[in-house]
Amino acid sequence: MHLMALRPTGRSRTLWGGSAFPSHGRYHCCGGFCGNDVIVPRCLLPLMLLTGLLACICTYVSCLHSLHFPEAFERQLQVTGITWNSTGSVIACSYGRMGDGDWSTEKSYICTWNLDRRGLNPNRPDVIIDVPSSVMCVAFHPSQPSLVAGGLFSGEVAVWDISQTDDPLIARTGITPDSHTDAVYKVGWMQEQTQGNRPQVLSVSSDGKILVWQMVKQGQLVLSDGFALVAQQIPSNTKLNKHGRGDTAIGVTCLSFSHFDPSVFIVGAEGGYPLKCSVAVQSLASTSTAHSVPLKAPAQFTYAPHGGPLHCIDCSPFHRNLFLSAGTDGHAHLYSMLQAKPLVSLQLSQRYLFSIQWSPVRPLVFAAASGEGELLLFDLGKSSQKPTLRIKQMDDDRPVYCLEFNHKQTQLLAAGDSTATVKIWQLSSDFTEQGAREQILLDEIASDVSDAI
């Protein structure tokens, strides 16, 4: 590991020994040659420079690609979602707008790049799909590498086959009485498929509904199952503010399935609280609207809330009871499914946290995306309170909206931001090679439960 050549950025002042350093403590790594930034505590900087303890950020992470679609940038669209396909070589991103406003009729895009392709042009996607409404989320099929689903601001859900260059759209919900009546903020593929192994797509919306769609031959997505969160049917096991009254819908903003029990999933509500849910429930939701399939009430347990709506939830792939959440209060919470209060609460941003995800190969590692333009990498084996590494994706502190680890090429981490750019970061072995006692340490963290269900 080589020493860092520091070049200060921003406003500077004399801090120590007559040397000028910036007041905010951010420096260009390698004197600015690598393009990365590192954040260093000002009080420790002189000592770290003298003792050689300050290692270059490039030994931990480097930017392999900066993918950019000029038309999306010119129209001031943002990257609202990213997803890797099942081979780990193709990344897709959705473009839309995260701010307020009626974007339901504004044209947007889904774009893909094959990173293994010779002659990769970072400014020209391999596939460009025009979409008549802002795309809020996107997800590749877990085993069919050319199928990608997207959720729209209009409430529609659609599936494309990127191998069909002429007309990639193969199925859509359309606008029907079964459709969402608000924006779709999460799509995914059901783990168990039925009816001739036809794929099923799950969608989550701020209208309070979680719907499961079956692909049929006529190019349609037909409702096959569904759930609804209604105020009067939310468990009141914790001292929370009233969710609402009667059949008031509770908006859903995010969802994650358990990796150990496919019937269990956690959702994030607009009120800031996570809810443990089950697909095996039989009780019907008390909704005022009719659907072709009766909607069920899935909520089983309520967890202590964030200080604002949730943007992201992710269940641990290494422990059946652990999940992470991130929200508009700038906090990340680590919960056990067995108690209401979080095991760990971290304030990572003075603005929003937009995304959070566990590493697919390191049980104690996770990453978060902030509204201050940073990717934050945590290793709970080193610290449960401070990030191990801060990656500055945006020079002007504009938000990073989404991130995703690559499950096949596990050294790759993708992040999309407000400038219509997706950056592909390569992580060092520090973040990809599991330690000998790592699973034991995770089990110890999970066992620190005080008020079990």
Side-chain angles (χ1 to χ4, degrees):
M1 296 172 66
H2 55 286
L3 292 181
M4 180 183 297
L6 291 177
R7 188 179 71 185
T9 68
R11 182 172 58 87
S12 63
R13 63 178 180 179
T14 299
L15 295 177
W16 173 77
S19 298
F21 293 104
S23 58
H24 51 64
R26 179 178 296 127
Y27 300 86
H28 290 313
C29 181
C30 299
F33 293 108
C34 70
N36 297 322
D37 283 356
V38 63
I39 297 175
V40 179
R42 294 190 302 268
C43 60
L44 297 180
L45 178 63
L47 178 62
M48 296 175 78
L49 286 171
L50 289 174
T51 59
L53 294 177
L54 191 56
C56 176
I57 192 176
C58 297
T59 62
Y60 295 107
V61 64
S62 59
C63 185
L64 286 184
H65 304 287
S66 185
L67 308 176
H68 188 71
F69 182 39
E71 291 181 37
F73 176 77
E74 291 168 3
R75 298 185 54 236
Q76 298 182 330
L77 299 180
Q78 300 148 350
V79 180
T80 55
I82 50 178
T83 178
W84 296 96
N85 78 343
S86 59
T87 70
S89 60
V90 176
I91 188 165
C93 68
S94 55
Y95 292 100
R97 296 190 192 275
M98 298 293 288
D100 295 330
D102 182 8
W103 314 118
S104 59
T105 58
E106 181 174 11
K107 176 182 175 182
S108 62
Y109 312 94
I110 292 177
C111 295
T112 72
W113 284 265
N114 187 336
L115 302 188
D116 291 342
R117 181 177 179 178
R118 285 189 175 184
L120 171 70
N121 184 346
N123 294 316
R124 187 64 185 175
D126 300 319
V127 175
I128 303 171
I129 300 172
D130 293 324
V131 185
S133 175
S134 182
V135 187
M136 307 307 297
C137 51
V138 63
F140 266 118
H141 189 279
S143 61
Q144 300 183 43
S146 64
L147 293 187
V148 61
L152 310 187
F153 189 91
S154 63
E156 285 192 82
V157 178
V159 176
W160 297 268
D161 185 341
I162 61 172
S163 67
Q164 299 182 11
T165 55
D166 291 338
D167 185 11
L169 180 65
I170 60 172
R172 60 185 296 185
T173 60
I175 302 295
T176 72
D178 284 336
S179 302
H180 289 290
T181 56
D182 211 337
V184 176
Y185 287 109
K186 174 76 174 181
V187 289
W189 298 85
M190 297 297 289
Q191 298 180 38
E192 296 181 0
Q193 298 175 3
T194 57
Q195 301 183 14
N197 204 35
R198 293 177 182 172
Q200 290 183 319
V201 181
L202 177 141
S203 59
V204 169
S205 171
S206 51
D207 65 1
K209 298 170 189 173
I210 304 159
L211 303 179
V212 180
W213 305 92
Q214 185 80 45
M215 290 181 62
V216 296
K217 293 182 180 180
Q218 292 77 20
Q220 291 182 317
L221 290 172
V222 177
L223 187 65
S224 63
D225 201 359
F227 309 90
L229 296 183
V230 179
Q232 67 181 14
Q233 295 175 304
I234 300 299
S236 57
N237 51 279
T238 56
K239 295 180 181 179
L240 303 177
N241 294 328
K242 291 183 178 180
H243 312 297
R245 296 180 179 179
D247 61 357
T248 303
I250 303 298
V252 187
T253 54
C254 49
L255 178 148
S256 180
F257 271 92
S258 166
H259 295 270
F260 297 87
D261 184 348
S263 69
V264 173
F265 61 97
I266 307 292
V267 300
E270 287 183 332
Y273 45 90
L275 293 164
K276 184 179 181 181
C277 299
S278 172
V279 300
V281 294
Q282 298 299 321
S283 57
L284 297 181
S286 303
T287 59
S288 58
T289 56
H291 290 74
S292 61
V293 174
L295 304 185
K296 291 170 282 188
Q300 306 287 297
F301 188 79
T302 308
Y303 298 94
H306 282 251
L310 294 178
H311 277 304
C312 191
I313 281 180
D314 194 39
C315 291
S316 169
F318 291 98
H319 198 286
R320 67 183 304 114
N321 292 329
L322 296 180
F323 67 92
L324 291 163
S325 63
T328 58
D329 60 356
H331 282 75
H333 287 178
L334 172 60
Y335 290 92
S336 167
M337 292 188 191
L338 301 180
Q339 75 172 29
K341 296 180 180 179
L343 300 174
V344 178
S345 178
L346 303 167
Q347 183 169 5
L348 304 183
S349 175
Q350 297 300 316
R351 304 179 189 174
Y352 295 174
L353 284 183
F354 287 100
S355 187
I356 197 164
Q357 190 176 66
W358 291 99
S359 163
V361 289
R362 286 283 314 277
L364 295 173
V365 168
F366 66 89
S370 85
E372 294 164 312
E374 291 182 334
L375 289 177
L376 308 171
L377 282 167
F378 272 81
D379 185 340
L380 296 176
K382 296 180 178 179
S383 173
S384 62
Q385 298 299 320
K386 297 180 180 180
T388 305
L389 186 65
R390 293 177 179 265
I391 305 170
K392 194 64 183 174
Q393 169 139 332
M394 303 288 292
D395 290 334
D396 55 2
D397 292 345
R398 286 194 281 181
V400 180
Y401 286 125
C402 48
L403 62 84
E404 183 156 317
F405 285 98
N406 190 317
H407 287 243
K408 293 294 184 180
Q409 302 183 54
T410 56
Q411 77 281 10
L412 300 183
L413 173 64
D417 59 47
S418 60
T419 64
T421 300
V422 174
K423 290 189 177 180
I424 310 298
W425 299 95
Q426 179 168 285
L427 307 177
S428 74
S429 59
D430 294 77
F431 292 104
T432 59
E433 294 181 2
Q434 187 176 149
R437 299 186 68 252
E438 195 159 345
Q439 185 64 50
I440 295 174
L441 291 172
L442 187 71
D443 293 341
E444 291 176 354
I445 293 172
S447 66
D448 187 20
V449 176
S450 58
D451 55 334
I453 296 173

